[in-house]
Amino acid sequence: MAVEAWQRLDIVRAGREAALTAIVSCGLLLPLIGFNTVQNIHNELILETRWPLLGAMVAIIAGARFAHSLLIAPWLAHRAVRPRREGAASWARHLTSAMIPFTLGFAVLYPVLALWLAGWQGAVKWIDNFGVQILIYVMLGWGLNIVVGLAGLLDLGYVAFYAVGAYSYALLATHFGLSFWLLLPIAGCLAACWGILLGFPVLRLRGDYLAIVTLAFGEIIRLILINWVPVTNGYAGIASIPRPTFFGIPFNASDEGFAARFGLEFSPIYRTIFLYYLILGLSLITAAMTARLRRLPLGRAWEALREDEIACRSLGINTTNTKLTAFAMGAMFAGFAGSFFASRQGFISPESFTFMESAVIVAIVVLGGMGSLMGVAIAAVIMIGGTEIMRELDFLKTVFGADFDPTQYRMLLFGFAMVLIMIWRPRGLIATREPSILLARRPHQAAWLPTGAKQAPALRPEAGG
């Protein structure tokens, strides 16, 4: 009887919390979803109501709150008091290591799977909108991971380096006719120079002040792109940007094109597959260089700076050079991604480099787990792939009405996902990070030595000492 009374008490408490959540969500969503302004044939704004859509949203939120209070919250409380198994962290590391070859193999075979499942016509959308688009943000996330995840410097203006790389490639390619393979390292170097320029004014700043300055830097670059019309063409942007070629062979329908050279029927799928493997290669180079730099003294200096700048300075580490190298390396990879973005689109404008892009990249790094390459990649797939897959959810119109557009609510779902992650895993999806140097205890020795270091001979006390 006592157990049944306790279960009824839990249900009543969960229902009360769900009802309170429904009231709060109704008040918040009423001006956002319940009312909608449309323009009639007389060019007048009229107010429409969307009560069924509002009711469905509130019911979903209240149901989720009821399930959380009744099932998930007790499980989390029991998990918190349960003693942690010693092999849990080791198991997580082994799982992450096992995912790397599987993920790499899937990424390499993804175009083949898309062609097999969607055909030659439908594969273009899946390879370009999902594969290429996700890999661009994976590369941007790994570049920002150096600044935020390893060095601990919060950069809210990272999209500025992305824009520098894109406009550097676009201007040099259109005005001087240089090739993509030559401009790719040039765009990265120019973006790295701008990263150093940003690093100098913020050498003494930390935390919120650093975030404000980097945010201002990103807005300054965007305003320059808008107002420097003779160079950047302002809001009109830069069009007819040359596309990358396959060893000098263009992907067009001419007799000198890729399809004609190899005796194939012309199709845009060849260029899409080429761009996919190109950005995949750039992303893997970014990951390999990040992993290598992390094991070098420079990478260990970044991690020391992240943990405690004062202690880092007391150890004799030059924090000035450490910060500048972090900004420069992160900006260089953003420049690479920007040059690829310009070559892929063939057109760029300041509208592609707003603060929202920086916010999305920072969210990818934070949600994935700062310092974790695999976590950043998973977060990019979820966020960018989830946004793209919402365009395909036409069946939701049968639930919420014919006028329902899922893409209009992507930022709402984006914020909701961030709240859930911060509650569930505040350190990110993959919070465990391998240390730069593994320490191991030697037999009959109290001190900890780096793995692979030679053990010094034991000191024997002098007689009479």
Side-chain angles (χ1 to χ4, degrees):
M1 296 297 293
V3 175
E4 294 179 357
W6 180 256
Q7 290 178 349
R8 287 197 299 269
L9 181 61
D10 286 345
I11 295 175
V12 171
R13 185 178 67 251
R16 184 170 59 250
E17 293 180 358
L20 180 61
T21 302
I23 295 173
V24 174
S25 61
C26 183
L28 293 175
L29 297 179
L30 180 63
L32 298 176
I33 298 178
F35 299 106
N36 185 33
T37 55
V38 295
Q39 193 172 8
N40 59 12
I41 59 175
H42 302 293
N43 201 21
E44 298 174 345
L45 286 178
I46 59 175
L47 189 64
E48 291 185 349
T49 58
R50 297 182 293 185
W51 304 123
L53 179 60
L54 176 63
M57 291 288 185
V58 172
I60 292 174
I61 296 174
R65 178 60 178 174
F66 182 81
H68 178 271
S69 300
L70 189 63
L71 302 175
I72 301 177
W75 176 76
L76 291 176
H78 176 71
R79 181 185 177 189
V81 299
R82 187 176 54 190
R84 183 178 178 85
R85 294 176 299 174
E86 295 181 358
S90 177
W91 178 83
R93 287 195 299 268
H94 289 308
L95 179 61
T96 304
S97 302
M99 287 177 61
I100 294 177
F102 173 78
T103 305
L104 183 59
F106 177 80
V108 172
L109 297 177
Y110 176 75
V112 179
L113 296 176
L115 288 172
W116 179 47
L117 296 175
W120 287 84
Q121 298 297 328
V124 175
K125 176 186 67 176
W126 289 98
I127 297 175
D128 188 46
N129 294 352
F130 288 87
V132 176
Q133 187 75 7
I134 290 174
L135 286 174
I136 289 177
Y137 281 90
V138 168
M139 184 175 179
L140 290 171
W142 282 343
L144 184 60
N145 187 51
I146 295 176
V147 184
V148 178
L150 297 184
L153 304 171
L154 182 56
D155 187 357
L156 295 181
Y158 191 68
V159 73
F161 310 121
Y162 187 40
V164 168
Y167 271 86
S168 298
Y169 173 80
L171 293 173
L172 293 176
T174 53
H175 293 289
F176 298 97
L178 301 178
S179 67
F180 170 81
W181 303 106
L182 179 61
L183 292 179
L184 181 65
I186 293 177
C189 292
L190 291 176
C193 292
W194 278 96
I196 296 175
L197 291 178
L198 171 63
F200 275 111
V202 301
L203 290 176
R204 297 182 179 273
L205 300 179
R206 287 180 295 177
D208 301 339
Y209 301 100
L210 175 63
I212 292 173
V213 173
T214 54
L215 172 61
F217 177 78
E219 289 300 304
I220 289 172
I221 294 297
R222 189 179 67 86
L223 292 176
I224 290 175
L225 298 178
I226 293 173
N227 296 300
W228 201 4
V229 179
V231 177
T232 64
N233 206 21
Y235 277 113
I238 302 176
S240 301
I241 302 174
R243 307 294 179 87
T245 60
F246 181 75
F247 298 102
I249 303 175
F251 290 90
N252 52 31
S254 65
D255 294 336
E256 299 296 327
F258 179 85
R261 284 286 189 91
F262 292 93
L264 303 173
E265 183 180 357
F266 174 75
S267 174
I269 191 65
Y270 302 123
R271 174 179 170 272
T272 304
I273 294 176
F274 171 72
L275 291 177
Y276 174 84
Y277 283 112
L278 177 58
I279 187 60
L280 177 62
L282 292 175
S283 301
L284 294 179
I285 291 174
T286 304
M289 291 187 63
T290 302
R292 179 59 180 168
L293 286 171
R294 188 166 175 261
R295 290 175 172 84
L296 294 177
L298 177 61
R300 298 200 294 272
W302 288 341
E303 293 182 332
L305 180 68
R306 178 192 63 198
E307 300 300 332
D308 194 329
E309 183 175 349
I310 297 177
C312 179
R313 191 181 295 112
S314 67
L315 292 174
I317 298 176
N318 190 332
T319 57
T320 299
N321 293 343
T322 303
K323 289 183 179 181
L324 292 180
T325 51
F327 277 113
M329 293 301 298
M332 182 183 68
F333 293 124
F336 292 156
S339 61
F340 174 83
F341 173 78
S343 65
R344 172 210 177 199
Q345 297 293 113
F347 169 79
I348 57 173
S349 67
E351 298 298 324
S352 301
F353 310 102
T354 59
F355 167 71
M356 187 53 63
E357 295 295 321
S358 288
V360 170
I361 301 170
V362 172
I364 288 174
V365 176
V366 174
L367 298 182
M370 292 191 296
S372 173
L373 295 178
M374 180 60 68
V376 171
I378 294 175
V381 171
I382 294 174
M383 292 186 59
I384 307 304
T387 301
E388 293 296 329
I389 202 66
M390 290 180 67
R391 307 180 191 275
E392 310 296 327
L393 302 180
D394 293 334
F395 70 91
L396 293 177
K397 293 183 179 181
T398 60
V399 179
F400 299 108
D403 297 332
F404 179 76
D405 185 7
T407 58
Q408 294 181 356
Y409 303 94
R410 64 184 185 90
M411 296 309 300
L412 180 65
L413 297 177
F414 167 66
F416 181 67
M418 289 189 64
V419 172
L420 290 181
I421 289 295
M422 290 298 102
I423 295 175
W424 176 46
R425 295 187 65 87
R427 296 185 61 184
L429 293 174
I430 299 181
T432 57
R433 296 193 300 264
E434 290 290 342
S436 298
I437 297 180
L438 297 176
L439 302 178
R441 183 183 292 274
R442 298 301 185 188
H444 309 294
Q445 185 178 7
W448 291 87
L449 292 178
T451 301
K454 295 182 179 179
Q455 181 178 355
L459 297 179
R460 297 181 179 180
E462 296 291 337

